[in-house]
Amino acid sequence: MCGIVGYIGKRKAYPILIKGLHRLEYRGYDSAGVALINEAGQLNVYKAKGKVSELEAFCAEKDTNGCIGIAHTRWATHGEPNTVNAHPHYSESERLAIIHNGIIENYAVLKAGLMEQGYTFKSDTDTEVLVQLVEYTQVNRHVDLKTAVQLALQQVIGAYAIAILDKTHPDTLIAARKGSPLVVGIGEDEYFLASDATPIVEYTDQVIYIEDEEVVVLSTKDKVQGTKEEGIEITTINNVTKTPEIKRLELSLSQLEKGGYPHFMLKEIFEQPRTLTDSMRGRVNVRQDNIALSGFIDNKDRFLNAKRIIITACGTSWHAGLIAMYAIEEFAQIPVEVEYSSEFRYRKPVINKDDVVIAISQSGETADTLAAIQLAKSKGAFIFSICNVVGASIPRVSDSGCYTHVGPEIGVASTKAFTAQVVALTMLALCIGKEKGTMTEEQYLRIVRELGQIPDKIERVLGQNKRISDFAKTFTYAQNFIYLGRGYNFPVAMEGALKLKEISYIHAEGYPAAEMKHGPIALISQEMPVVVVAPHCGTYEKVVSNIQEIKARKGRVIAVVTEGDELVSKIADYIIEVPETEECLTPLLTVIPLQLLAYHIAVVKGCDVDQPRNLAKSVTVE
C-alpha cells in the first residue's frame, strides 16, 4: 500500500518527487525517502521516519540536485516503521537503489541464499532482498540491468511495483509491476512514474498503465528501437516486447486540492451532492424515468439468467455490498451472497458458471478483491466490477462493470466513494428488476425519480453540519459506541461505526437493532453512547422499541430520523433529521450524519482525520 513516484527528464527531480509523495501520502505515511543521481554521478539516498514533511525537513540542507530520481512513502509490512526500514534501499555496493510497493512472499528463502553468498542486510524489509537479488544476478550472470531485473523477478513470489536506479546509468530508470499498480506519464522529453495518476496530472495527461509482469525502461539518452515512444521500452519478465498503449487522463489538478476545507474528508463529504449527480449523469435520463447502464445492457442475459449473485469486497465497499443485497433481492428476486474478499479467496467457495460475481473497490487495486475475482473467473463466473479509478486492475480483469466517477478520494476514510457505490449498485438492481419483470412499472418509476432527488436531499442534510459539530464535542469522552439499524440501514450502522473507529480511534460496533437484546444490551450505560438509524419506514416501530429499551437502562441516544418525526424525537437525547425518501434509498441520506459525526468527534480529539494511524487508502497487499 506504499506510494512510489519517479522522474527522469530535464527538470530538477526533487521538487517533483516531493510533491508527488504528498499526493500519494494517503497510501502510507510511516516513513518516506528519496534517491537522486546528481550531475557528478553520485547516488544519494535520504530517508526519514514519519510523514513526507519529516523527509523535507531532513533534506533541507542536503544535496538534492539531479534530473533523475525515485521516491517512496511507506505503509509498513515487513519491519517496523523507522528510518532504516524506509525506502529507498541500496544494494550491497550502493550502486543500485530501489523502491517497492507490495510483499515478496518468499523473501526469507531468497535472503538466506544471498547471505550464503556473502551479502549483508541493513534492514528488516523484504524490499532490500529484492535489490540485492538484482545486483547479484547482474554481477554473476554478466547481464545488463534490465535483464537482471527480469531474471530476478522470475524468482519472486508475491506482489510488487518497483523502480530502480543505477548510478552508472544516470539516464535510465527501470520499473516493473505485478499485482500492485504502476502508471507512466509521458511529457516532453521527460517521463513520470507513480502508483497512480495523482502525482502526474500536473505535468501531463498522457499515461501508460503498466500490466502485470511487465518491465519498463525509461531513458532520456537514445530512442529505444522497436517502440512507438522514444525513450520507452516495455517487455515482460520473459523478455517479450510489448507495444505501449497511451491513454488520456480524465483528472484535474483542482480535484487534488482541499478547496478551502480544513480536511479532504470534510471536502469529500460535502462533494457528495455533486459526485452522485456525476455518477448518475448519462445513466439516469433527463426525464428521470429510466436508467441505462451499458455494463448491464451489453451483458443482459448473464444477469437475467443468473441463479445467484455473489458480491465480494472489503471494508466500506463490503457495507455497500450489503445494501445492494437488500436491493437486488427485493427488486430482482435473485439470491445474493456478500463475501469478505479476504475470506472468499481462501475458503474454496462453490462457484458455478451461471453465477454473477460483483466486485466492489474504490481504488480497483484491492489485493484481496482482485484475487477473489480471479478465482471466480477461473471457475467460469461472470465478473462485474464497481470501481472509481479508470484503468485500475480490477476493472481491467473484469468482464464488464461500472465506474462511479466521483473523482479522486484523498481522505483515507471513504465517504463519497461509498455513496457512489450504493448509487451504482441500486441502479444495477433496478435495471435487473425492470428487465426481469420482478418489480412493477410504477415502483420502478417512483424509485428512479426519487433517485434523481437524492443529491438535493443530501444538501439539506449537510445543512445540519454546524449542529452536529456542536453536539459531537459532548462525546469525545467516550471509549465505546454502539450503532444500530435495521433492514437497509443495518449496513449503514456498521459503516458509521467503521468511520468512527477509523478516524477517532474510539471503539465502535454496528449491530442489527433487534440483535441488541442478544448480548450488546449488557453494555448499555450512561457511558455508552448509542447511535440509532431510525428513518420512518420498514421496521420503524421495532426500532422505536429498541430505543425505549436503551433509555430504560439510562443509555444516551443519538437518533437519525425522518424529518417531522415525533415519536423518537421525544425519547432520544440528540436528533438528526433526514428528508423522507424511498426505503431503499435511505442509506444515501442516513449515512451523511454519521460521516459528519465521526469527522467532528475526531477533529475535537485532535486526530489526523485525513491520515489516521496505521491505515492506508488503497490496500494493495494482503
Side-chain angles (χ1 to χ4, degrees):
M1 296 186 291
C2 309
I4 68 176
V5 60
Y7 174 77
I8 180 171
K10 297 177 180 179
R11 311 189 207 198
K12 189 173 181 181
Y14 177 77
I16 296 171
L17 298 176
I18 288 295
K19 186 178 289 188
L21 287 186
H22 278 297
R23 295 210 175 121
L24 288 174
E25 202 164 18
Y26 70 87
R27 298 181 66 90
Y29 29 86
D30 292 334
S31 60
V34 60
L36 300 154
I37 301 176
N38 66 16
E39 289 78 1
Q42 295 174 314
L43 176 56
N44 296 314
V45 172
Y46 307 121
K47 305 192 286 187
K49 179 182 177 181
K51 296 188 176 182
V52 176
S53 56
E54 300 294 328
L55 175 64
E56 285 185 278
F58 180 74
C59 291
E61 304 299 324
K62 303 294 184 181
D63 174 13
T64 57
N65 289 309
C67 297
I68 180 173
I70 54 178
H72 186 273
T73 181
R74 183 175 186 238
W75 187 84
T77 52
H78 290 79
E80 67 178 83
N82 58 31
T83 303
V84 173
N85 289 330
H87 301 208
H89 290 287
Y90 278 125
S91 62
E92 182 90 355
S93 68
E94 298 193 352
R95 179 174 57 83
L96 307 180
I98 193 172
I99 54 176
H100 169 224
N101 172 31
I103 292 179
I104 307 304
E105 295 176 9
N106 61 335
Y107 83 100
V109 173
L110 296 172
K111 185 174 183 177
L114 289 165
M115 291 177 70
E116 289 179 0
Q117 299 298 320
Y119 280 75
T120 59
F121 292 84
K122 298 176 182 178
S123 76
D124 299 318
T125 69
D126 54 338
T127 302
E128 189 182 6
V129 175
L130 186 51
V131 73
Q132 302 282 43
L133 180 62
V134 170
E135 182 170 89
Y136 172 80
T137 302
Q138 187 177 14
V139 170
N140 287 274
R141 299 285 291 272
H142 306 290
V143 294
D144 60 23
L145 183 60
K146 184 194 81 169
T147 305
V149 170
Q150 292 171 323
L151 293 172
L153 293 178
Q154 290 173 21
Q155 302 178 58
V156 164
I157 299 171
Y160 55 80
I162 61 170
I164 299 180
L165 293 182
D166 181 346
K167 69 179 182 181
T168 66
H169 293 283
D171 50 20
T172 302
L173 191 162
I174 295 181
R177 71 152 282 182
K178 179 183 178 182
S180 293
L182 196 62
V183 59
V184 173
I186 304 168
E188 190 69 35
D189 297 322
E190 61 183 354
Y191 303 98
F192 306 84
L193 185 75
S195 296
D196 64 40
T198 54
I200 293 173
V201 65
E202 183 174 347
Y203 309 102
T204 181
D205 63 355
Q206 302 295 303
V207 297
I208 298 169
Y209 295 100
I210 306 305
E211 302 286 349
D212 273 357
E213 296 193 340
E214 288 185 347
V215 178
V216 57
V217 179
L218 303 175
S219 174
T220 55
K221 183 178 181 182
D222 299 305
K223 180 182 173 76
V224 179
Q225 295 299 317
T227 65
K228 287 184 177 180
E229 284 300 317
E230 183 174 338
I232 300 179
E233 178 190 21
I234 300 178
T235 60
T236 67
I237 61 174
N238 296 312
N239 205 35
V240 176
T241 299
K242 305 296 286 288
T243 301
E245 182 181 353
I246 300 171
K247 297 190 176 182
R248 187 174 182 275
L249 276 180
E250 299 294 335
L251 181 66
S252 68
L253 190 58
S254 63
Q255 292 176 300
L256 307 178
E257 298 171 343
K258 292 179 183 175
Y261 288 91
H263 299 95
F264 279 108
M265 182 178 179
L266 188 62
K267 176 195 176 192
E268 289 156 5
I269 291 172
F270 272 81
E271 283 179 338
Q272 288 173 104
R274 177 185 60 78
T275 56
L276 294 192
T277 299
D278 291 343
S279 291
M280 290 185 278
R281 183 173 288 117
R283 294 164 173 169
V284 179
N285 67 359
V286 292
R287 296 188 305 276
Q288 294 185 354
D289 61 6
N290 192 41
I291 294 172
L293 289 179
S294 60
F296 169 77
I297 294 168
D298 296 341
N299 303 278
K300 190 183 301 182
D301 290 344
R302 293 305 301 256
F303 286 97
L304 299 183
N305 296 323
K307 298 294 191 295
R308 176 179 61 161
I309 291 176
I310 302 169
I311 298 175
T312 184
C314 301
T316 285
S317 297
W318 186 76
H319 297 154
L322 286 176
I323 294 170
M325 176 183 70
Y326 285 91
I328 293 170
E329 291 192 339
E330 179 181 355
F331 303 146
Q333 296 292 292
I334 300 172
V336 179
E337 298 174 11
V338 185
E339 300 271 4
Y340 282 114
S341 299
S342 55
E343 290 297 312
F344 181 74
R345 64 179 293 194
Y346 286 117
R347 67 170 180 80
K348 296 182 175 62
V350 178
I351 303 169
N352 301 308
K353 291 183 179 181
D354 53 7
D355 287 337
V356 170
V357 175
I358 300 175
I360 314 171
S361 169
Q362 187 280 141
S363 67
E365 300 290 351
T366 309
D368 285 322
T369 304
L370 183 58
I373 64 173
Q374 288 170 332
L375 170 64
K377 195 168 186 176
S378 72
K379 303 287 187 179
F382 178 79
I383 311 299
F384 187 91
S385 59
I386 305 286
C387 296
N388 184 38
V389 180
V390 176
S393 297
I394 288 174
R396 288 210 306 270
V397 302
S398 299
D399 297 303
S400 185
C402 174
Y403 285 114
T404 53
H405 296 305
V406 301
E409 188 177 63
I410 306 301
V412 166
S414 183
T415 52
K416 65 179 182 178
F418 171 75
T419 50
Q421 289 168 352
V422 173
V423 164
L425 290 159
T426 301
M427 290 191 294
L428 178 62
L430 290 167
C431 287
I432 303 170
K434 179 189 179 186
E435 198 67 31
K436 284 192 71 177
T438 47
M439 61 188 305
T440 66
E441 182 73 9
E442 186 275 332
Q443 181 188 26
Y444 174 82
L445 289 173
R446 190 179 70 245
I447 295 171
V448 172
R449 286 167 181 159
E450 183 60 23
L451 187 60
Q453 302 305 309
I454 289 296
D456 288 340
K457 293 187 175 184
I458 290 177
E459 287 280 13
R460 286 160 57 183
V461 180
L462 292 170
Q464 300 177 74
N465 178 54
K466 176 64 166 60
R467 193 168 65 82
I468 295 171
S469 172
D470 289 342
F471 77 68
K473 300 170 186 175
T474 307
F475 295 98
T476 54
Y477 73 87
Q479 295 183 334
N480 302 280
F481 264 75
I482 290 178
Y483 285 68
L484 302 175
R486 295 195 74 160
Y488 281 94
N489 286 287
F490 160 49
V492 173
M494 291 197 291
E495 174 62 12
L498 178 61
K499 288 285 120 4
L500 190 69
K501 281 185 281 196
E502 286 178 317
I503 63 173
S504 74
Y505 317 137
I506 295 173
H507 175 254
E509 296 297 335
Y511 289 95
E515 289 298 302
M516 182 188 64
K517 62 178 69 70
H518 295 284
I521 198 168
L523 299 172
I524 301 299
S525 71
Q526 290 179 317
E527 304 304 313
M528 172 72 83
V530 181
V531 178
V532 184
V533 187
H536 203 290
C537 56
T539 54
Y540 173 76
E541 288 77 12
K542 302 292 185 183
V543 177
V544 172
S545 296
N546 297 138
I547 295 173
Q548 290 168 332
E549 291 167 351
I550 296 165
K551 294 304 297 179
R553 290 157 179 81
K554 303 187 184 303
R556 302 182 73 187
V557 174
I558 304 167
V560 179
V561 299
T562 302
E563 288 175 345
D565 181 285
E566 295 181 358
L567 191 52
V568 175
S569 299
K570 292 177 181 177
I571 54 179
D573 298 275
Y574 299 91
I575 292 293
I576 308 169
E577 292 188 330
V578 300
E580 185 176 4
T581 190
E582 292 288 325
E583 183 175 9
C584 63
L585 303 180
T586 54
L588 295 167
L589 302 181
T590 57
V591 76
I592 306 298
L594 306 190
Q595 294 172 349
L596 290 170
L597 180 65
Y599 170 81
H600 288 298
I601 290 175
V603 168
V604 174
K605 290 189 65 171
C607 300
D608 191 336
V609 172
D610 285 336
Q611 297 173 352
R613 69 187 182 204
N614 302 333
L615 296 178
K617 182 71 176 174
S618 180
V619 185
T620 58
V621 296
E622 288 192 58

